[in-house]
Amino acid sequence: MQKVTIYHNPVCGKSRGALEILKERGVEHEVIEYLKTPPDRATLERFLDMLPGEPAELVRKDKRFKELGLNAADYVTREQVVDILLKHPELMERPVVVRDGRAVIARPSERVLELLD
């Protein structure tokens, strides 16, 4: 099995849950704390290539999004999503888990199991 990479935020319960599932199953994994090491443009583009769904799903529309005065309608295209996440990596939906050219946003945490089949 190819190693799994988890883009992790340790304060997020869903992110901790996905990491725990990987550990419980003995899955070799790399942890990247994306707030300490934000993904670059190429990495964000790769996420969007691998993730099912619309690009906007990678952006958290949470309290921080509102504090910044952002409008969800302005962040729907690939380019808009990449640009906002480069400027504000804390808005990336988490955790993003990658394995063998596939990725999921593990919300709920059990979605990580989709990559382990």
Side-chain angles (χ1 to χ4, degrees):
M1 176 185 290
Q2 188 176 25
K3 183 167 66 174
V4 171
T5 302
I6 180 169
Y7 291 81
H8 177 62
N9 182 341
V11 301
C12 173
K14 304 294 185 213
S15 196
R16 290 191 313 269
L19 189 56
E20 187 62 30
I21 290 169
L22 294 175
K23 289 177 181 177
E24 286 172 357
R25 295 190 174 239
V27 176
E28 183 181 344
H29 59 279
E30 174 184 12
V31 176
I32 297 175
E33 288 190 32
Y34 69 89
L35 293 177
K36 291 182 180 178
T37 309
D40 60 12
R41 181 174 294 279
T43 302
L44 292 168
E45 292 276 354
R46 198 179 79 217
F47 288 168
L48 293 172
D49 288 341
M50 292 185 284
L51 287 166
E54 298 299 318
E57 293 174 20
L58 190 55
V59 179
R60 293 176 59 85
K61 280 65 165 201
D62 60 1
K63 179 182 172 189
R64 177 69 176 140
F65 188 87
K66 290 175 180 60
E67 287 171 354
L68 292 168
L70 302 175
N71 180 346
D74 295 333
Y75 302 99
V76 294
T77 69
R78 287 175 65 92
E79 188 167 328
Q80 291 167 329
V81 166
V82 169
D83 287 346
I84 192 63
L85 294 178
L86 286 172
K87 188 172 182 180
H88 297 285
E90 73 276 15
L91 295 178
M92 187 172 85
E93 194 62 82
R94 60 189 182 243
V96 175
V97 186
V98 178
R99 177 179 166 249
D100 196 24
R102 296 171 42 211
V104 296
I105 297 170
R107 299 186 72 79
S109 302
E110 293 76 17
R111 287 210 54 215
V112 72
L113 297 171
E114 296 172 23
L115 299 177
L116 305 181
D117 298 339

